[in-house]
Amino acid sequence: MNAAGPAPGAAVRVRNVQAGDLEDVAAIDLEITRQPKPGYWAEIYQRYGSGRRQQRFFLVAEAGGRIEGFVIGEVRDWEFGSPRCGWVFAISVRPGERLAGIGSRLLEAICDGFRRLGVTKVRTMLSRDNRLILSFFRSQGMMAAPFIPLEIDLEPAGSGPA
Ligand SMILES: CC(C)(COP(=O)(O)OP(=O)(O)OC[C@H]1O[C@@H](n2cnc3c(N)ncnc32)[C@H](O)[C@@H]1OP(=O)(O)O)[C@@H](O)C(=O)NCCC(=O)NCCS
């Protein structure tokens, strides 16, 4: 891949991920989250990108031979008590390439994939403090949904009674 970046104005193409894209994908993720995740992207590729499962999507935006962003999601049937809908788990664009419509292109492409499977509702989940991603999803027409996330802190394994 082209680590130096695409030529200015290189056309952006959204396509299915390929194994050779994972290095760029991991680098974008590391730049955003600052969390190295050894093995994680290879596993996500197996689960979402290998093309064997029709309901799963792992798409990348490529420009001039370099990956500039990615989106991952899938169609779920009646999980969380919800009729069939599309879930977007992750969307990220390389920091230096933002505000040029790549995020919108990625979301549009995964929604096209959902639509082809007959899906008419798309959901995602985000941290309430993440104003950037909230602004992005709101700009795409997404609004608060009639679901609430619940969570609990677990004691670490081995800390309770045997
Ligand atoms: C959210 C993100 C994907 C948007 O990608 P992008 O390519 O910049 O998005 P677009 O250029 O298509 O922007 C579409 C709209 O989103 C909104 N938006 C995007 N970035 C914004 C910002 N920094 N501030 C306010 N609104 C913003 C705007 O309304 C924008 O439309 P406009 O340019 O006409 O104003 C990108 O900023 C990103 O990767 N952020 C980090 C995401 C992250 O934390 N991922 C990990 C968990 S999933």
Side-chain angles (χ1 to χ4, degrees):
M1 287 287 137
N2 177 4
V12 175
R13 186 165 75 99
V14 176
R15 58 164 174 79
N16 286 320
V17 70
Q18 296 167 3
D21 303 329
L22 293 184
E23 198 178 316
D24 276 1
V25 166
I28 294 170
D29 177 65
L30 181 62
E31 195 173 351
I32 294 172
T33 66
R34 303 276 165 209
Q35 299 284 324
K37 300 172 188 141
Y40 174 81
W41 287 108
E43 194 192 322
I44 292 291
Y45 177 72
Q46 284 305 316
R47 278 162 56 194
Y48 291 91
S50 58
R52 279 172 296 160
R53 298 175 186 84
Q54 201 202 5
Q55 305 215 132
R56 295 182 173 181
F57 298 86
F58 186 166
L59 308 177
V60 294
E62 179 204 314
R66 190 174 78 160
I67 301 308
E68 306 294 26
F70 59 90
V71 63
I72 306 168
E74 72 179 325
V75 175
R76 291 191 159 189
D77 285 296
W78 290 103
E79 289 167 50
F80 310 115
S82 155
R84 182 178 171 80
C85 71
W87 279 92
V88 174
F89 301 149
I91 185 163
S92 293
V93 171
R94 195 183 283 280
E97 305 298 328
R98 291 181 184 169
L99 287 173
I102 294 177
S104 304
R105 291 268 311 272
L106 286 163
L107 189 66
E108 199 178 293
I110 199 169
C111 287
D112 282 347
F114 292 151
R115 225 179 263 118
R116 282 197 296 275
L117 296 173
V119 163
T120 56
K121 179 85 78 183
V122 177
R123 298 205 169 96
T124 190
M125 188 145 60
L126 52 121
S127 161
R128 175 188 299 268
D129 305 329
N130 193 337
R131 299 214 164 202
L132 169 55
I133 197 112
L134 181 60
S135 299
F136 169 72
F137 280 125
R138 291 297 300 270
S139 81
Q140 306 298 304
M142 295 188 81
M143 292 182 289
F147 289 85
I148 52 167
L150 299 177
E151 66 177 26
I152 186 172
D153 292 325
L154 297 179
E155 296 296 330
S159 63

